[in-house]
Amino acid sequence: MARRTGKGRKAKRAVLSRLKPDEAQAVLNQLLALHPELAGEAEEIAQVLLSDVSFEAVADEVESALRFPDLDDLNARAGPSRWGYTPPDEAAWELLEEALQPFIDEMTRYVELAMEKQALEICQGILLGLYRLRDAEDHEVLQWAADFPFEVASRVVKTWSEAKRPKDSAEGASHRHPTLPRDFVSEHLPEWQDLITK
């Protein structure tokens, strides 16, 4: 009998470990509804989980994501279609913007959560990833959108700086339009100092 109970527990844990994100969210919501006393502990775990952000890791992910679209992706997007003609440079921009958008969304989410330090790390990571690709002559898609890293970098800074911050947080009040740390820009983005510090 004890063995069956052990197997039953293992089976339940196996199910939990295989849940999709939306299913895991539903389980957490139900668990907190049944046990509201766990809300504080769940919040602390979430804070710790979300706090671990480094701009170097984000830069690596951004660079990888922007290098992922290849010539086949470009050819599938560019050229004639039933909606008209899409030039290769326009198709390249679309592919790169789609690859970058999840990082911008994540940065904005952290701002909205009043996690300013982490939002800044993500912003810096995005910029560094873009900066690494500023002369990516070896990549077919980036060749068609050579100005992409430079032009998008200024938009990223503007999005981060002007993102809506929670009014009720001390950080929200004191960081209405924050600026990037000059030492980060001079050390990691030296060729873009004029663009970034405007």
Side-chain angles (χ1 to χ4, degrees):
M1 195 74 166
R3 279 186 188 172
R4 276 188 213 157
T5 306
K7 284 182 183 175
R9 285 181 185 164
K10 282 183 184 176
K12 285 179 184 175
R13 283 198 297 269
V15 170
L16 284 174
S17 68
R18 302 290 303 268
L19 291 176
K20 294 176 184 171
D22 57 332
E23 294 167 336
Q25 180 66 53
V27 169
L28 177 62
N29 289 344
Q30 268 194 304
L31 186 64
L32 292 176
L34 292 169
H35 301 281
E37 72 277 6
L38 295 176
E41 193 173 345
E43 185 70 30
E44 285 176 24
I45 292 169
Q47 286 278 350
V48 169
L49 185 68
L50 292 175
S51 294
D52 188 21
V53 180
S54 89
F55 74 85
E56 293 96 341
V58 174
D60 292 343
E61 291 176 24
V62 167
E63 184 178 3
S64 176
L66 293 179
R67 284 187 180 278
F68 185 77
D70 60 17
L71 204 51
D72 290 337
D73 298 316
L74 184 63
N75 289 335
R77 185 76 61 102
S81 71
R82 64 183 189 186
W83 299 283
Y85 179 81
T86 304
D89 57 339
E90 186 179 316
W93 269 80
E94 287 175 4
L95 285 167
L96 295 170
E97 284 181 330
E98 287 169 14
L100 188 63
Q101 192 59 47
F103 297 96
I104 296 172
D105 293 343
E106 188 74 345
M107 175 184 72
T108 305
R109 180 173 76 107
Y110 273 85
V111 171
E112 291 167 354
L113 288 169
M115 299 181 77
E116 286 289 338
K117 182 182 173 198
Q118 291 80 10
L120 174 59
E121 287 284 316
I122 295 171
C123 181
Q124 291 176 152
I126 294 171
L127 294 173
L128 182 55
L130 289 167
Y131 189 78
R132 290 175 182 170
L133 297 170
R134 70 194 182 283
D135 298 318
E137 296 173 2
D138 60 331
H139 193 272
E140 301 98 340
V141 176
L142 284 158
Q143 284 177 358
W144 283 100
D147 294 337
F148 181 85
F150 180 79
E151 288 188 26
V152 172
S154 61
R155 274 196 273 157
V156 169
V157 174
K158 185 174 182 185
T159 301
W160 167 73
S161 175
E162 296 180 1
K164 189 172 182 181
R165 285 157 168 82
K167 292 178 183 176
D168 58 348
S169 72
E171 299 226 343
S174 62
H175 289 85
R176 281 290 162 225
H177 291 288
T179 55
L180 286 172
R182 287 186 177 272
D183 57 344
F184 170 82
V185 177
S186 60
E187 181 179 348
H188 297 284
L189 318 170
E191 293 178 26
W192 288 357
Q193 285 190 72
D194 292 341
L195 164 82
I196 301 297
T197 54
K198 278 180 185 176

